[in-house]
Amino acid sequence: MKTLKIGENTFELADSIINDLKASENLGLLKCIQCGMCTSVCPAASHTDYDPRVIVKRVLDEDDSLISDDIIWNCFYCYSCHSVCPVNNSVCEINQILRQKSIEKVDGIRKIASFLAYGDSFLELGIGSIPNDFFNELIKDIGEEYFELKIHLDDIREELGLGTIILPENDLNDIKKILKKTGFTDRLTKIRRVKKDEEDTR
Amino acid sequence: MNNNHFSRYAPKSSIDIGVFLCRCGGNISDTVDIERLKSSIDAKVVKDFENLCSLKCQKNIRDIILEEDLDRAVIAACSPITHEKTFRNHVAPLNPYLLEMANLREQCSWVHSDSDKATDKAISLTNAAVERVKYARPLDTIVRKTKKSAAVIGGGISGITAALSLAKQGVKVDLIEKKPSVGGNMIKIGKVFSPEKLAEECALCLFNPLINEAVQHDNINIITNAEVKSSERKAGNFNLLVEKKPRQVWVDRCTACGNCAEVCPIDVPNEWNENLMMRKAIYKPFPQSVPDTYTIDEEHCIKCGNCEKVCNMNAINFSMKTEVIPLNVGSVVIATGHKGFDLKKRPEYGYTRYDDVISQMELARIMGVNGPTNGKLQRPSNGEIPRRLVMIQCAGSRDEKPEGKRYCSKVCCMVALKHANFIKHYYPETEIIICYTDMRTPGMYENYFRYGQSNKIKLIRGRPGDVTRKNGNLIVRVEDTLRGEQLEIETDMIILSEAMEASDGTLEVAKLLNVGLTEDLFVKEKHSKIKPVNTDIEGIFVCGTAQGPKDITDSVSQANAAASKVSELMNGGLEIEPLIAEIDHSECKLCGACIDSCKYKAVYMYDERISVDPIACNGCGICVAKCKNNAIEIMGQTDSQIYAMISGMLKDKKDGERRILVFLDYIGYVAADNIGVNRIPYPESVRIIRITSINRLMPKHIIHAFENGADGIFLGEYPDNVVYSNIQEKVHEFKTQLIKNGIDPDRLMYYKVYAPYFRGLAKKFYEFDKQVSKSLDKLEAVLYKASSKDI
Ligand code: SF4
Ligand code: SF4
Ligand code: SF4
Ligand code: SF4
């Protein structure tokens, strides 16, 4: 049996979420009535043992282990819970904030390491693009058209009068400066390091 | 001193004042030197007594007033809160308002121990009363006679109950109902539950006798098919114009045989049956309608004349016109009820998309013997008995999404249980599942909840997210939160427990009568704890679901409460202290600023004249400051009286003495008295002046006080939420004015007073006294510097 010791039942975790930059104004976290409406519409809950209502419960119970719990990575930000919650809570937003907290530790970085290529593409080309790693999967999912599209992208763009997708040198430099200033570049470096360590130990 | 400020009620050239001092059996005289006090008062008669409040003294005072032919009296004794009423009687034959009291006990002898200083203060307190009484005017208590008649708007259970109670207390009642028949929502629900008998009883059988009693009562005039179109307040009464739509059927001829409806070619959805079946354009809403007569629905009738031809009674007449009925009544009771939440606003539940998703009210009609299926439980889609039925609670309630209602509708848990128990009784094979967020069955209702459990109603704790259809079944998706499991429930029928919301009639009537609404759009009660049936307009009351979600039991008690509040106003009339706003019609330019400013909605325009409702007005004085034309005075607190009081309090101030004027409202004054009763000392500099509200004060008063020697001004008032924002504005205005006049704003302060925290008030007096002294020291230093420069 667990003993709830005096002074143990605080709202620090909840407060840190409510006050996070990412949380919408008047996030109804503290008002959650545990009705389960979010869970009833959550696709992640239908396919895994993830339960958005329980996420809220654990936050309100000051359960810090949540931050390093793999379960928070099951949500895929569909916002269904967000749109039905009767007290304007949003498990979707809560998850985003919890993951940031996790990324501040090594746990989370491991989780996002495979997305590194997205970031790299911003650094190199100034635009987002699908990492090569995912290429074959996408062809499987979408079909040969995807392959065709990728191969003939430049021709298609030209035909549509859209010009090349490559950014001019000046703009690219500006973007790089912004990414540097905002800490994006540093963050990528950090992720790369963790990823490398991981590969090395393996 | 500039006498020009003083307003039109100047004192007559010579006024003979008598000052009666009370020793209070030593309570006052042990600290205050009565002989020195007596010799310092300038009045025709100054006399001291041992116990002024005794009957013997009453005679003495009267004799002296008559012998000396006095015009005014001052009683320097205890707190007016304790004995003002007594002394007002003592000074007869003088008008009771020609008396002024100085509080020498609670606010002097009980809080100060230094006899010399206490005596000085007693002198100034008495002087202030003498100054002020010179400007007193004889006033008469206002006796408000309210007409012994009332209009009750709405003919549901609340309206009928209120009307009957009033009628039995001898009040003439006009009961106005918008629909062609009285009955309201209660007539539709079919069953009511009894938590004692654990049974469902016939609603109509309970309600019908009341309706019949109302019909037969000589004091009740039922006006159906009618709406209030305008309302005007006049001297505590209301002039209403009621528009009665034509029925096109003579009520006294129609025998309700129904021949007409048989030949009417027009079908209209029957609203009394939640549109689940049709009626004709000429119709009687339901079998027990009151009045028991057919009505033509003008909106749908095509005037084919078929009905007219078959009516043996010649009761049909197409040339009836809208009738306008003027009513003059003493009070209005709003009993305009509620309506069901529009479930289309929760599209995820599939209401109207699936035939077998219905509301609780629709289920009530289906279960009603006089309903569309003659009381048989059937699926609307195919007429079969449902094998399973799922009820979804809080549909539209406890929902902060834009279309939802934030509140708990209070009755739907019980309504769901009622229907579930009833169905279980007649259709034991039908499975019932209630998906709930919380089951709210307070008090005795818990009994009925357990009864439902023993009837094998299944309960799942979770609020469904959506309703779909799969393999011919409806599917409710919900999390069983107690197991932490996502669940799809197959079912034949879904009943949504719809929220209650204010009816359209409630909104219309509230707007028309100018009564306030809550954020949730119900009629706002004056105070949810102690004035639950008063609205913010005197003489208008509210009961039933127009005021908020509630069940029949609560509606009935509230209706009775509203009726007794009405009869309080009417029986014997009300005696009101005349200390209210008075309009000087020769100065008034009818700009209406006072109407808008009054937080108590006491000021209104009638017949191109501004009037003040003496019951509603509490003399706060907000309007006085807002009137650009100087056309309003507060009786008993005229400008001249306030100036006189201030000057009196500051008279004969000695060198180096500090005087702080403390203006307190009623609660503040009581708190100050409590300081005295508990003998808690505070600085002698404090001089308390009672006012109705800080809002009565204007910058000119404040400046006048400082010009005449006040060292500081302390304002204390209970932060009543009705006028609190005005107080804040006032204080800000005063501070700005002080700065403009080169006076340190630290010499004025506002403090929120609460009656039980009198110790806090005493402490504040000390602090403020210090603050003022500091500010004065600063000033001294500056002046000293300046003067030394001059030299
Ligand atoms: S829907 Fe909202 S209130 Fe209900 S359990 Fe989920 S987060 Fe809490
Ligand atoms: S946003 Fe995440 S938690 Fe919310 S419904 Fe979608 S998957 Fe579930
Ligand atoms: S009474 Fe029950 S169903 Fe109705 S709103 Fe309240 S909790 Fe929900
Ligand atoms: S504010 Fe003054 S002038 Fe204007 S309507 Fe009221 S009493 Fe008359």
Side-chain angles (χ1 to χ4, degrees):
Chain A
M1 190 181 62
K2 189 181 163 197
T3 306
L4 188 59
K5 298 221 184 73
I6 289 171
E8 214 176 48
N9 193 20
T10 61
F11 285 91
E12 275 167 39
L13 183 55
D15 281 340
S16 76
I17 291 175
I18 291 166
N19 297 326
D20 194 283
L21 208 61
K22 264 194 142 68
S24 16
E25 214 180 318
N26 304 322
L27 179 71
L29 171 54
L30 297 175
K31 294 187 284 181
C32 170
I33 45 174
Q34 288 289 302
C35 66
M37 209 167 179
C38 47
T39 309
S40 75
V41 296
C42 172
S46 317
H47 298 288
T48 69
D49 51 10
Y50 167 76
D51 185 331
R53 177 186 54 82
V54 174
I55 299 286
V56 183
K57 175 86 176 106
R58 285 175 70 181
V59 167
L60 292 172
D61 287 349
E62 193 68 17
D63 178 354
D64 286 320
S65 69
L66 193 56
I67 295 171
S68 40
D69 193 328
D70 275 351
I71 202 84
I72 57 172
W73 297 91
N74 285 19
C75 163
F76 44 84
Y77 298 172
C78 72
Y79 281 88
S80 303
C81 53
H82 181 108
S83 70
V84 296
C85 174
V87 299
N88 292 325
N89 191 11
S90 169
V91 193
C92 186
E93 283 180 10
I94 292 174
N95 273 325
Q96 294 172 37
I97 295 162
L98 286 171
R99 288 184 193 180
Q100 282 307 330
K101 288 184 188 296
S102 173
I103 291 167
E104 276 152 28
K105 302 180 177 175
V106 181
D107 305 320
I109 296 187
R110 286 195 195 107
K111 286 281 177 193
I112 57 171
S114 53
F115 299 111
L116 194 59
Y118 281 108
D120 284 338
S121 132
F122 269 112
L123 271 189
E124 281 160 29
L125 309 170
I127 51 172
S129 76
I130 307 235
N132 291 340
D133 293 4
F134 299 158
F135 201 59
N136 290 332
E137 317 272 323
L138 281 167
I139 295 174
K140 228 196 279 167
D141 281 355
I142 301 174
E144 281 302 313
E145 303 95 290
Y146 186 71
F147 184 70
E148 294 292 313
L149 175 77
K150 282 284 154 182
I151 297 290
H152 302 295
L153 188 61
D154 284 342
D155 301 342
I156 296 171
R157 288 186 67 91
E158 208 183 301
E159 209 173 293
L160 293 171
L162 291 172
T164 169
I165 200 159
I166 309 291
L167 287 179
E169 191 65 29
N170 276 350
D171 296 358
L172 191 58
N173 282 337
D174 283 351
I175 290 177
K176 280 188 180 155
K177 264 185 225 151
I178 292 171
L179 294 179
K180 177 98 194 140
K181 270 247 153 67
T182 52
F184 186 84
T185 318
D186 287 348
R187 195 163 194 184
L188 281 192
T189 316
K190 197 170 155 198
I191 297 172
R192 201 169 291 121
R193 206 182 310 125
V194 171
K195 196 178 174 192
K196 188 158 180 305
D197 286 353
E198 193 121 298
E199 281 161 2
D200 289 352
T201 47
R202 236 192 272 136
Chain B
M1 190 170 47
N2 181 357
N3 266 305
N4 296 340
H5 306 304
F6 284 22
S7 66
R8 46 199 172 275
Y9 310 114
K12 61 175 196 177
S13 49
S14 91
I15 304 175
D16 293 330
I17 299 173
V19 177
F20 303 91
L21 304 169
C22 183
R23 311 176 74 94
C24 197
N27 270 305
I28 294 172
S29 56
D30 285 355
T31 317
V32 174
D33 177 348
I34 299 291
E35 286 314 312
R36 183 151 79 85
L37 171 61
K38 272 167 73 176
S39 63
S40 319
I41 304 296
D42 177 19
K44 183 171 181 194
V45 180
V46 184
K47 259 194 163 346
D48 65 309
F49 299 81
E50 199 53 37
N51 273 107
L52 259 184
C53 53
S54 67
L55 275 178
K56 198 181 103 225
C57 284
Q58 176 171 13
K59 196 176 167 302
N60 283 341
I61 295 174
R62 178 167 308 158
D63 289 348
I64 295 169
I65 290 174
L66 288 173
E67 265 163 36
E68 303 277 343
D69 194 16
L70 297 178
D71 303 305
R72 305 278 200 278
V74 166
I75 290 196
C78 53
S79 166
I81 305 279
T82 343
H83 273 324
E84 194 167 45
K85 275 241 159 68
T86 323
F87 289 128
R88 284 213 174 126
N89 290 332
H90 278 26
V91 300
L94 282 185
N95 179 286
Y97 294 92
L98 296 179
L99 161 77
E100 203 52 65
M101 282 187 75
N103 186 345
L104 299 192
R105 198 178 66 180
E106 281 83 346
Q107 291 175 9
C108 188
S109 67
W110 276 355
V111 287
H112 306 310
S113 44
D114 181 323
S115 170
D116 247 9
K117 286 183 178 168
T119 307
D120 283 348
K121 177 166 168 180
I123 293 169
S124 75
L125 294 182
T126 314
N127 267 331
V130 170
E131 285 308 315
R132 179 173 167 143
V133 83
K134 291 180 185 163
Y135 294 90
R137 279 202 299 154
L139 299 173
D140 292 321
T141 4
I142 301 167
V143 180
R144 181 165 116 163
K145 281 240 186 320
T146 305
K147 245 185 104 166
K148 242 181 150 166
S149 63
V152 174
I153 310 178
I157 178 68
S158 304
I160 297 270
T161 305
L164 268 176
S165 167
L166 284 168
K168 288 177 189 171
Q169 299 180 66
V171 178
K172 287 263 175 225
V173 181
D174 289 293
L175 181 77
I176 302 151
E177 169 58 52
K178 194 174 178 180
K179 304 243 165 69
S181 169
V182 296
N185 280 305
M186 182 167 170
I187 217 82
K188 294 200 280 185
I189 63 172
K191 296 283 172 197
V192 292
F193 65 88
S194 153
E196 300 90 37
K197 288 187 242 162
L198 298 180
E200 299 76 46
E201 301 175 327
C202 160
L204 200 64
C205 310
L206 293 177
F207 194 12
N208 228 27
L210 296 181
I211 296 180
N212 289 336
E213 202 183 340
V215 172
Q216 277 149 23
H217 206 293
D218 285 342
N219 281 344
I220 300 181
N221 171 33
I222 299 181
I223 313 172
T224 47
N225 232 10
E227 276 177 73
V228 180
K229 283 292 168 191
S230 73
S231 155
E232 250 182 351
R233 281 161 90 187
K234 191 200 168 194
N237 292 318
F238 298 87
N239 287 332
L240 306 179
L241 283 185
V242 175
E243 201 177 280
K244 187 169 164 52
K245 277 180 279 165
R247 273 178 193 276
Q248 318 294 34
V249 176
W250 295 112
V251 175
D252 31 12
R253 286 196 201 159
C254 172
T255 58
C257 67
N259 288 350
C260 49
E262 267 166 42
V263 298
C264 176
I266 301 296
D267 285 321
V268 183
N270 181 344
E271 52 278 73
W272 181 64
N273 270 309
E274 296 295 289
N275 303 333
L276 294 170
M277 56 196 286
M278 300 304 246
R279 60 161 171 83
K280 292 299 170 78
I282 185 163
Y283 71 114
K284 193 170 98 171
F286 53 95
Q288 301 78 6
S289 291
V290 169
D292 185 15
T293 179
Y294 276 69
T295 300
I296 290 183
D297 166 359
E298 277 210 298
E299 199 189 321
H300 296 99
C301 167
I302 52 163
K303 301 225 156 64
C304 65
N306 288 357
C307 50
E308 198 180 9
K309 280 180 220 130
V310 298
C311 178
N312 299 329
M313 299 302 293
N314 272 333
I316 299 172
N317 177 348
F318 285 102
S319 57
M320 285 187 180
K321 293 264 151 8
T322 301
E323 204 183 326
V324 176
I325 308 168
L327 298 178
N328 177 249
V329 292
S331 274
V332 178
V333 177
I334 302 176
T336 40
H338 70 278
K339 66 173 182 189
F341 175 75
D342 178 5
L343 291 166
K344 289 197 279 297
K345 292 181 179 164
R346 265 287 180 204
E348 56 272 39
Y349 288 155
Y351 183 74
T352 64
R353 194 167 55 219
Y354 306 122
D355 287 344
D356 292 334
V357 179
I358 61 171
S359 68
Q360 290 285 5
M361 187 56 111
E362 284 167 338
L363 180 63
R365 289 320 309 143
I366 290 178
M367 301 300 296
V369 277
N370 45 9
T373 59
N374 300 320
K376 288 196 199 63
L377 177 64
Q378 290 174 356
R379 295 175 62 175
S381 62
N382 60 11
E384 281 169 18
I385 297 175
R387 293 162 298 169
R388 179 186 277 169
L389 191 149
V390 176
M391 294 187 179
I392 299 181
Q393 296 306 99
C394 305
S397 299
R398 306 181 63 193
D399 181 356
E400 295 186 17
K401 285 277 183 275
E403 299 282 16
K405 304 285 163 196
R406 301 176 308 170
Y407 48 84
C408 165
S409 295
K410 228 169 159 186
V411 301
C412 12
C413 281
M414 296 309 299
V415 171
L417 285 172
K418 172 183 75 176
H419 286 159
N421 281 330
F422 187 56
I423 292 172
K424 269 289 170 200
H425 189 83
Y426 289 99
Y427 302 89
E429 299 299 316
T430 297
E431 234 189 298
I432 298 179
I433 299 175
I434 302 181
C435 294
Y436 69 98
T437 311
D438 298 286
M439 262 336 240
R440 297 194 163 168
T441 57
M444 295 308 141
Y445 293 173
E446 185 72 4
N447 252 351
Y448 191 72
F449 175 50
R450 279 198 298 260
Y451 170 64
Q453 288 178 295
S454 36
N455 279 336
K456 305 210 175 73
I457 296 167
K458 200 179 182 98
L459 294 155
I460 291 180
R461 193 194 172 280
R463 190 185 295 204
D466 65 9
V467 166
T468 48
R469 203 215 282 275
K470 225 193 256 174
N471 309 328
N473 287 324
L474 288 170
I475 303 283
V476 177
R477 279 218 285 172
V478 65
E479 183 194 13
D480 181 340
T481 58
L482 299 181
R483 296 180 61 120
E485 215 170 63
Q486 232 186 10
L487 198 66
E488 292 196 335
I489 311 172
E490 294 183 339
T491 183
D492 285 340
M493 234 172 131
I494 293 171
I495 318 295
L496 305 176
S497 295
E498 72 273 30
M500 253 191 192
E501 63 180 293
S503 67
D504 302 340
T506 298
L507 302 182
E508 283 155 22
V509 166
K511 187 156 176 228
L512 214 119
L513 297 174
N514 192 26
V515 301
L517 294 176
T518 64
E519 241 181 279
D520 297 310
L521 302 181
F522 289 99
V523 173
K524 192 177 165 130
E525 68 281 69
K526 193 158 188 180
H527 191 288
S528 58
K529 294 277 176 290
I530 55 173
K531 290 194 168 159
V533 295
N534 297 63
T535 65
D536 55 1
I537 294 198
E538 271 313 317
I540 302 184
F541 302 88
V542 63
C543 61
T545 49
Q547 184 267 326
K550 61 176 64 67
D551 65 3
I552 294 169
T553 316
D554 285 353
S555 295
V556 168
S557 4
Q558 217 184 16
N560 283 318
S564 63
K565 281 289 156 194
V566 171
S567 78
E568 253 176 39
L569 281 184
M570 291 172 184
N571 287 325
L574 220 55
E575 278 211 357
I576 304 151
E577 286 238 53
L579 307 174
I580 58 164
E582 192 182 75
I583 311 288
D584 179 347
H585 295 285
S586 61
E587 295 296 327
C588 171
K589 302 275 183 300
L590 294 174
C591 71
C594 46
I595 302 182
D596 299 333
S597 72
C598 180
K599 296 282 173 179
Y600 300 96
K601 296 189 178 173
V603 192
Y604 58 95
M605 176 104 68
Y606 181 77
D607 237 0
E608 310 221 336
R609 231 175 130 88
I610 296 286
S611 298
V612 177
D613 180 337
I615 302 187
C617 174
N618 85 343
C620 73
I622 291 181
C623 56
V624 180
K626 289 283 166 12
C627 177
K628 298 239 173 359
N629 302 304
N630 245 328
I632 314 180
E633 276 283 23
I634 304 292
M635 296 299 92
Q637 296 209 41
T638 58
D639 268 350
S640 6
Q641 284 170 306
I642 294 176
Y643 284 127
M645 195 74 181
I646 293 172
S647 314
M649 285 287 190
L650 298 170
K651 203 169 155 186
D652 299 329
K653 187 179 156 195
K654 295 189 183 130
D655 251 4
E657 192 194 342
R658 206 158 41 240
R659 288 203 189 164
I660 290 172
L661 297 189
V662 174
F663 291 90
L664 295 176
D665 74 331
Y666 180 81
I667 300 265
Y669 201 88
V670 170
D673 274 359
N674 268 326
I675 298 177
V677 171
N678 287 284
R679 311 292 205 279
I680 304 164
Y682 56 74
E684 289 90 359
S685 58
V686 165
R687 300 285 192 281
I688 296 172
I689 300 179
R690 177 157 67 130
I691 44 165
T692 34
S693 164
I694 293 169
N695 288 308
R696 171 64 191 94
L697 295 175
M698 288 149 90
K700 59 180 183 186
H701 301 132
I702 303 292
I703 300 298
H704 174 86
F706 279 113
E707 278 173 356
N708 284 276
D711 296 299
I713 292 188
F714 183 104
L715 307 166
E717 180 157 343
Y718 174 68
D720 179 275
N721 48 15
V722 184
V723 291
Y724 182 56
S725 62
N726 295 65
I727 295 177
Q728 287 175 305
E729 269 169 44
K730 270 277 154 170
V731 173
H732 181 77
E733 187 189 354
F734 291 161
K735 294 229 176 206
T736 324
Q737 281 296 324
L738 289 187
I739 295 170
K740 260 196 206 144
N741 282 270
I743 301 170
D744 182 358
D746 270 359
R747 288 167 69 187
L748 177 137
M749 89 166 278
Y750 165 66
Y751 178 65
K752 294 181 195 171
V753 204
Y754 302 90
Y757 301 129
F758 52 87
R759 278 171 215 278
L761 181 62
K763 213 168 112 206
K764 270 286 164 249
F765 286 162
Y766 266 116
E767 287 172 22
F768 185 61
D769 185 63
K770 262 206 210 109
Q771 177 178 324
V772 168
S773 132
K774 226 194 240 158
S775 160
L776 291 178
D777 286 349
K778 250 197 311 193
L779 186 68
E780 193 98 330
V782 172
L783 288 180
Y784 180 77
K785 240 193 202 156
S787 63
S788 53
K789 240 189 235 149
D790 281 351
I791 300 164

